[in-house]
């Protein structure tokens, strides 16, 4: 692989700069790498750089990571810019040898790169890969080179991971069969031969790579058994299981026991046991009791050592699976239940030293692990899952054990609160963890109301927010989890105490306080249609808003919480619910603008930044709708920061800035200022539309301009520029719907005299696209646009303007698309548009009132009745006012701001009931031509829809004569 030295030097410089703390230097390097990515030989240069021992390890690692990400985005043949086949061939010939030669950090990235490439090419387009691995594996085993053996097994492991995570298909099973035929036997031989070398008294330096080899064999075992039990593994199950049990019951040299090597192997084995319990219980049952005893024995010691946490987690999960299976009787005796709870479950509920350290030094990770619904398997959570598993079949016994344990913990705390505060924390955690999920049929394992009154309230009412912060955090979490069960007045009486905890010096405590407030404001009570109503409204929240916002903004100034997503989310929620005064609103926008200025320097926390822009949108919307004069103050404060985003090309924030501009324009009384007019020229520039992630926001901004100042479009060729943007959007499947949004807004806001010079080009662009896009996704918005056009300008203008492109074209569109697709339109506003437009068409257009057009007339009536029937069955539309993401990353995709959203306008506000409009219009036109339409309806309207039509006529006291 020949790569010019100057290329390697340049890449090294860019990667070094990409690691710089200087944001401008880092951005420049990232831009250079992005530009170079499409140059010939770029992936090979990355691979070369990552393999050079003479290069700094950090640069090699950055190059390997970049190489992996490049393969992720460009290896697939369907990607936007796939790698050339010549590059792929060379990469496949080099990747495995380079992986074997690389240090562990580089090897990890190259192994992932191998997995990416193999997920597309292996085995059909890379048939040499697995035979090469097997051949090299045999050579390395013969020479006793376990460093190479483990590298090869690591590569094989990355190949086979797809069998764990991919959707089960016939093609995947064929790939699995190929891998089993080649690798199942060498895998077993490797495992058994290595096991013969693995003795408990072996030297640690020899033992460590051997145990790592066995761990990798165990991981591959899991992958190859994930879909179903292969015949080879069923035939050799005893050999595998005997060795698995050997590793679970043997004790090795202290060094490999304490550094986690042996426990990593045991944890992998426990995962395999769980897999067999879940998928191969019948074949596995003969080994179950022996393994249950072995795993139980491990857990007696596992809880005493933090280094064994992962083993304890996997072992407990295995026992949990057994406890809910048909073999639950293994744990059924009172003695065994007591031993499991007292020796396995309850000891693992107590905080460890590393938990306390995490609480104090890394609040984000602590909260992530502790959060409700987290997918992280902590010892505490896993122990409680085992308890819940046991309660499935032995509820009364478990309730007695839990109740006694909670009382014991609380008694120990009351005897010496300063010394035994961890006992109370464990009791709180136990009660919270055992709370049933929403909709569950099982009840609580403890008396929650009594526990809340005696244990939680004293913590929430404590005046010192910094006293025993872990207990305060636990109490706040309890309040949050049980927020729906706590009566409204009781919760409001506790709110000042929760607000006080926003001032806690503990990041976890003030984060939990913010989360508690935020979740409380989302509680809904069931009520009559159209849906649940918020329990806490503006009237409930307004008295607390000043203290609440003060506490929240003060929390953002605390160490390590300057970009606290929990606090910012709470600010967003409060501003979205409360009725805030002009004074409070201007203070908030000033503080939020300061935060925005800070994050613009280095956007690094996507979720925090999303909530920040949601908060800005919320205060603009809520305050601006109440008092439009405040918009001028908001503009003066926000414009400098929003303009900085555009001028400095802070791409992460472009779509957010455009959405905020849109909201400001929507609330701004015309005329618009010079600043807005300058921005209008920017968005009319085609270069502004090159970033796909910003396009939805740009469309909404353009719509805001069109609504606010339609007369400006008829000047300086602006309408032509807008329609040029429409043409560009309509040409791509991913943005075609956005093109219709632009076009619809043009029609809604401009007279036909203004758009008539362009109408031939508009129809030409649409129907040219239709020739190649005869799919619902395109036809649906096309029909909606045509309906809007008819309603705005009249049926005659619609028919004549389309026929001016080609004589008879409208009738062709009507027959091929309007009649058949209109019944499939969804959305209440869209269905109303189609119904009214079609009704006007059959009642106003001479083309359809011609007796020669009876068939088309009848089929259109049939489609309207069918659409109205469909709309009855669809139910009401709702919008959830809590529509904000729980996680977000910086990508090229658009992130919608819920609080900047605009409710869909109804262009037919004057028509309240489309059904009434339809039948009254039909009755009126039939009275002008008595006896003419009845036979047409009988011939061309389906019997079911004829019945529905009669019912509609009866409901609205109308008749077709």
């Amino acid at each position: 692989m020949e790569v010019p030295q100057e290329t390697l030097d340049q890449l090294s410089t860019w990667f070094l700069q990409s690691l710089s703390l200087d944001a401008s230097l880092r951005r420049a390097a990232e831009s250079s790498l992005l530009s170079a990515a499409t140059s010939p030989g770029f992936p090979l240069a990355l691979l070369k750089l990552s393999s050079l021992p003479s290069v700094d390890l950090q640069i090699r690692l950055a190059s390997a990571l970049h190489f992996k990400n490049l393969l992720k985005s460009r290896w697939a043949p369907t990607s936007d810019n796939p790698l050339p086949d010549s590059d792929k061939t060379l990469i496949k010939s080099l990747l495995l040898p380079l992986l074997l030669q690389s240090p562990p950090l580089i090897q990890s990235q190259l192994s992932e790169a191998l997995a990416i490439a193999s997920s597309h090419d292996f085995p059909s387009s890379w048939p040499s890969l697995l035979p090469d691995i097997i051949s090299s594996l045999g050579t390395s085993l013969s020479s006793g080179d376990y460093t190479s053996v483990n590298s090869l097994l690591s590569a094989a492991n990355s190949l086979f991971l797809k069998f764990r995570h991919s959707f089960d298909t016939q093609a995947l099973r064929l790939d699995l069969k190929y891998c089993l035929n080649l690798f199942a036997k060498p895998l077993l031989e490797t495992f058994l031969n290595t096991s013969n070398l693995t003795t408990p008294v072996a030297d640690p330096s020899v033992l460590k790579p051997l145990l790592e080899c066995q761990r990798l064999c165990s991981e591959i075992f899991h992958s190859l058994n994930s879909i179903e039990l292969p015949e080879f593994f069923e035939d050799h199950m005893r050999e595998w299981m005997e060795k698995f049990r050997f590793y679970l019951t043997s004790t090795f040299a202290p060094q490999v026991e304490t550094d986690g090597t042996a426990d990593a192997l045991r944890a992998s084995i426990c995962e395999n046991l769980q897999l067999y319990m879940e998928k191969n219980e019948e074949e596995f049952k003969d080994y179950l009791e022996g393994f249950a005893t072995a795993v139980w024995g491990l857990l007696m010691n596992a809880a005493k050592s933090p280094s064994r946490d992962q083993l304890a987690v996997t072992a407990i999960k295995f026992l949990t699976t057994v406890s809910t299976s048909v073999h639950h009787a293994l744990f059924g005796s009172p003695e065994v239940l007591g031993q499991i709870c007292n020796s396995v479950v309850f000891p693992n509920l107590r905080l460890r030293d590393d938990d306390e350290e995490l609480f104090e030094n890394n609040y984000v990770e602590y909260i992530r692990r502790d959060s409700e619904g987290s997918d992280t398997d902590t010892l505490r959570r896993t122990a409680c899952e085992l308890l819940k598993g046991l309660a499935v079949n032995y509820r009364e016994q478990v309730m007695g054990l839990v109740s006694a344990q909670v009382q014991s913990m609380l008694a120990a705390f009351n005897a010496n609160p300063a010394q035994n505060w961890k006992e109370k924390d464990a009791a709180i955690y136990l009660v919270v963890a055992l709370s049933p999920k929403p909709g569950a049929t099982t009840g609580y394992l403890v008396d929650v109301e009594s526990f809340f009154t005696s244990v939680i309230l004293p913590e929430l009412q404590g005046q010192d927010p910094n006293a025993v912060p872990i207990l305060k955090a636990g109490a706040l979490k309890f309040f949050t989890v049980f927020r729906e069960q706590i009566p409204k007045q009781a919760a409001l009486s506790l709110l000042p105490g929760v607000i006080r905890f926003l001032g806690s010096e503990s990041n976890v405590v003030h984060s939990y306080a913010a989360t508690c407030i935020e979740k409380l404001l989302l509680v809904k009570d069931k009520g009559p249609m159209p849906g649940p109503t918020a329990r806490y409204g503006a009237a409930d929240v307004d008295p607390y808003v000043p203290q609440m916002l003060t506490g929240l903004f003060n929390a953002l100034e605390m160490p390590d919480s300057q970009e606290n997503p929990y606090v910012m989310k709470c600010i967003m929620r409060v501003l979205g619910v409360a009725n805030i005064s002009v004074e409070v609103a201007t203070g908030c926008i000033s503080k939020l603008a300061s935060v925005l200025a800070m994050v613009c320097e280095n956007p690094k926390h996507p979720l925090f930044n999303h909530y920040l822009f949601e908060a800005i949108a919320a205060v603009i919307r809520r305050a601006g709708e109440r008092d439009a004069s405040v918009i001028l103050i908001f503009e003066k404060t926000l414009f400098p920061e929003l303009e900085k985003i555009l001028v400095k090309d802070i791409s992460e924030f472009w779509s957010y800035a455009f959405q905020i501009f849109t909201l400001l324009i929507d609330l701004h009384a015309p005329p618009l200022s010079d600043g807005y007019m300058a921005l209008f020229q920017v968005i009319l520039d085609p270069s502004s539309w090159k970033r796909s992630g910003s396009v939805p926001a740009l469309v909404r901004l353009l719509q805001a301009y069109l609504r606010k100042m339609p007369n400006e479009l008829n000047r300086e060729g602006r309408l032509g520029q807008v329609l040029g943007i429409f043409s560009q959007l309509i040409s791509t499947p991913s943005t075609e719907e956005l093109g219709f949004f632009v076009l619809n807004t043009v029609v809604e806001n401009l007279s036909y005299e203004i758009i008539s010079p362009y109408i031939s080009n508009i129809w030409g662009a649409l129907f040219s696209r239709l020739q190649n896009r005869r799919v619902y996704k395109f036809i649906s918005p096309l029909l909606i646009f045509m309906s809007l056009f008819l309603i705005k300008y009249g049926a005659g203008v619609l028919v004549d303007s389309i026929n001016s492109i080609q004589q008879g074209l409208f009738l062709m569109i009507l027959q091929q698309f309007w009649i058949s697709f209109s019944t499939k339109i969804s959305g209440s506003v869209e269905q109303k548009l189609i119904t009214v437009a079609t009704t006007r068409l059959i009642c106003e257009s001479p083309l359809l009132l011609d007796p020669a057009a009876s068939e088309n007339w009848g089929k259109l009536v049939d489609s309207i009745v069918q659409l109205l029937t469909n709309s009855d069955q669809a139910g009401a539309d709702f919008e959830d006012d809590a529509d904000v993401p729980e996680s977000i990353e910086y990508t090229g995709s658009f992130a919608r701001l819920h609080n900047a959203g605009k409710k869909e306008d109804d262009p037919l506000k004057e028509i309240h009931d489309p059904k009434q409009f339809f039948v009254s219009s039909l009755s009126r036109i039939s009275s002008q031509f008595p006896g003419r339409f009845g036979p047409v309806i009988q011939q061309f309207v389906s019997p079911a829809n004829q019945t529905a039509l009669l019912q509609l006529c009866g409901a609205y006291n109308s008749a077709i004569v």
Side-chain angles (χ1 to χ4, degrees), residues 10-12 14-19 26-39 41-51 57-75 83 91 95 105-106 108-114 116:
Q10 182 64 77
L11 282 174
S12 296
W14 286 339
F15 281 123
L16 189 62
Q17 292 172 346
S18 72
L19 302 172
R26 188 173 64 251
R27 285 181 182 276
E30 290 168 353
S31 178
S32 297
L33 287 166
L34 187 62
S35 300
T38 55
S39 58
F42 182 72
L44 296 169
L46 293 176
L47 192 55
K48 176 73 173 179
L49 183 63
S50 64
S51 69
L57 184 61
Q58 288 303 310
I59 293 175
R60 292 178 66 188
L61 181 59
S63 182
L65 179 61
H66 206 83
F67 174 77
K68 177 192 75 175
N69 291 333
L70 185 74
L71 264 57
K72 188 182 296 183
S73 62
R74 296 183 57 194
W75 191 275
L83 291 175
I91 289 169
L95 196 48
L105 281 174
I106 309 298
S108 174
Q109 297 301 324
L110 294 184
S111 183
E112 289 185 43
L114 181 74
I116 292 165

Side-chain angles (χ1 to χ4, degrees), residues 618-934:
V619 71
I620 292 172
R621 181 172 60 83
R622 295 284 292 177
E625 288 176 349
R626 296 184 70 198
D627 185 351
S629 65
V630 79
I631 295 299
L632 295 175
I633 302 173
F634 291 164
E635 290 171 350
K636 184 178 179 181
T637 305
L638 290 172
F639 257 52
E641 301 308 325
L642 297 175
E643 288 175 346
K644 184 195 301 181
I645 291 170
L646 303 183
V647 172
K648 289 192 172 183
D649 193 21
I650 305 174
S651 58
E652 297 92 337
F653 293 165
W654 265 44
S655 68
Y656 292 130
F658 291 139
Q659 289 177 83
I660 299 299
F661 277 127
T662 301
L663 184 58
L664 289 169
I665 290 173
D666 283 339
L667 296 171
H668 192 291
L672 297 179
S673 65
D674 291 343
Y676 285 118
M677 295 309 297
L679 177 63
F680 188 39
Q681 289 305 122
V682 171
I683 68 170
L684 290 179
D685 185 343
S687 64
S688 299
W689 296 77
K690 290 182 178 179
R691 284 195 177 102
S692 59
S694 299
V695 169
L698 277 168
V699 166
R700 294 186 60 215
L701 180 55
L702 182 56
Q703 287 179 288
Y705 275 109
L706 297 178
R707 285 190 293 264
K708 192 63 66 172
M709 46 173 225
N711 294 331
E712 291 291 328
L713 287 184
N714 208 22
R715 302 173 186 170
E716 302 176 12
R718 288 171 179 156
L719 181 54
Q721 290 176 285
V722 170
L723 293 175
I725 291 169
F726 146 74
S727 296
Q728 183 62 38
L729 293 173
I730 213 77
S731 65
T732 306
S734 60
T735 58
E736 61 191 10
E737 187 178 26
L738 298 173
F740 280 108
F741 290 168
V742 173
L743 199 55
N744 290 346
T745 310
V746 168
V747 168
E748 284 183 79
N749 292 279
L750 297 181
S751 67
Y752 186 69
E753 287 72 23
I754 294 176
I755 72 164
S756 59
Y758 303 92
I759 195 63
S760 294
N761 291 333
I762 292 173
W763 290 128
L766 290 172
F767 296 143
S768 295
R769 182 71 176 157
L770 180 60
Q771 288 181 330
N772 301 314
R773 265 306 262 176
R774 299 189 174 212
V775 295
Y776 174 78
K777 189 177 178 183
F778 181 82
I779 294 170
S780 169
L782 173 62
L783 294 181
I784 291 165
F785 167 69
M786 292 173 68
S787 298
L788 186 64
F789 189 99
L790 183 152
I791 287 163
K792 181 71 186 290
Y793 304 131
V797 175
L798 174 69
V799 173
D800 293 344
S801 64
I802 292 178
N803 282 339
S804 69
I805 305 297
Q806 178 185 319
Q807 192 59 37
L809 180 58
F810 178 79
L811 202 56
M812 188 187 309
I813 298 293
L814 185 81
Q815 292 169 340
Q816 294 185 22
F817 302 104
W818 193 307
I819 291 173
S820 55
F821 281 89
S822 61
T823 60
K824 302 173 184 176
I825 300 296
S826 60
S828 57
V829 173
E830 290 82 357
Q831 289 177 336
K832 184 179 181 182
L833 265 173
I834 291 284
T835 299
V836 173
T838 309
T839 301
R840 287 187 57 180
L841 196 58
I842 62 175
C843 294
E844 297 176 12
S845 173
L847 180 69
L848 287 161
L849 289 173
D850 187 331
S854 294
E855 181 176 352
N856 290 327
W857 192 95
K859 288 182 177 179
L860 283 170
V861 170
D862 187 64
S863 71
I864 297 173
V865 177
Q866 185 62 54
L867 180 63
L868 292 172
T869 304
N870 294 346
S871 66
D872 286 341
Q873 296 169 353
D877 295 333
F878 295 93
E879 185 172 335
D880 186 354
D881 62 1
D883 183 23
V884 292
E886 295 295 332
S887 62
I888 195 170
E889 296 179 359
Y890 290 136
T891 66
S893 60
F894 169 68
R896 183 179 79 93
L897 291 176
H898 172 78
N899 287 310
K902 187 176 187 299
K903 287 193 175 180
E904 189 175 16
D905 287 329
D906 182 357
L908 292 167
K909 296 184 181 70
E910 70 279 5
I911 297 176
H912 300 293
D913 187 347
K915 295 178 184 177
Q916 184 178 22
F917 178 83
F918 167 60
V919 293
S920 61
S921 298
L922 205 57
S923 176
R924 190 163 50 252
I925 194 67
S926 72
S927 67
Q928 297 176 26
F929 303 94
R932 174 173 160 185
F933 295 112

Side-chain angles (χ1 to χ4, degrees), residues 114-122 162:
L114 181 74
I116 292 165
S118 65
S119 68
H120 296 284
D121 287 19
F122 175 80
K162 69 177 183 179

Side-chain angles (χ1 to χ4, degrees), residues 254-273:
Q255 185 176 333
V256 295
E257 289 289 352
T258 56
D259 70 3
T261 303
D263 282 344
L265 168 58
R266 295 181 185 121
S268 178
I269 291 171
C270 286
E271 288 179 349
N272 288 331
L273 301 182

